[in-house]
Amino acid sequence: MTERALAFVEQWVSDHVEAKDADGDIDARAKTLADQCLAAAAKAGIPASEIGEAFDDLPDFMIAAIEEAEERDEHAHRPESNEEAAELIDAQALEDAEEDAEEDEEDEEKR
């Protein structure tokens, strides 16, 4: 049953937690979000005990989700330098993928 609770909370966080939740008292906001999530879960037929089995500390999980949302927002609104972009690309992996694609094409032609 905890898989259901995990999926519910992850979806709820995706739908409700935003970068602006980091403004002000993040601990208080996380507690409020956790309470709202538990209420929504109860309406969906998922008891708080099941959420508790999946998450040791739901407010702490909300804090992490808020911080992650804030980080995503910061990166989304900041131009990336060419060096930063280059670090995200694994040139060897791209080269390997191209070679694999060529080999696949050759195998198809042989069939």
Side-chain angles (χ1 to χ4, degrees):
M1 286 295 197
T2 57
E3 283 184 33
R4 176 175 75 153
L6 284 168
F8 179 86
V9 171
E10 287 175 1
Q11 184 62 53
W12 191 91
V13 164
S14 176
D15 292 342
H16 295 89
V17 175
E18 301 174 343
K20 68 181 181 180
D21 291 317
D23 297 343
D25 184 351
I26 193 170
D27 292 328
R29 184 64 185 141
K31 174 73 172 113
T32 299
L33 287 168
D35 290 343
Q36 291 172 351
C37 181
L38 287 172
K43 285 182 182 178
I46 302 171
S49 60
E50 190 174 333
I51 301 290
E53 288 175 29
F55 297 89
D56 293 332
D57 190 333
L58 191 57
D60 276 351
F61 182 80
M62 293 297 173
I63 288 172
I66 291 167
E67 290 171 347
E68 185 177 314
E70 183 180 36
E71 195 172 302
R72 276 193 316 270
D73 189 63
E74 286 174 9
H75 286 288
H77 294 96
R78 180 179 57 86
E80 206 168 67
S81 72
N82 288 340
E83 286 179 359
E84 289 172 318
E87 288 177 11
L88 297 174
I89 298 172
D90 182 349
Q92 186 60 50
L94 289 175
E95 190 176 313
D96 292 346
E98 289 173 358
E99 288 176 11
D100 289 344
E102 288 173 8
E103 289 173 6
D104 290 345
E105 285 179 18
E106 291 172 7
D107 289 345
E108 282 296 316
E109 290 174 5
K110 291 179 183 176
R111 290 182 193 177

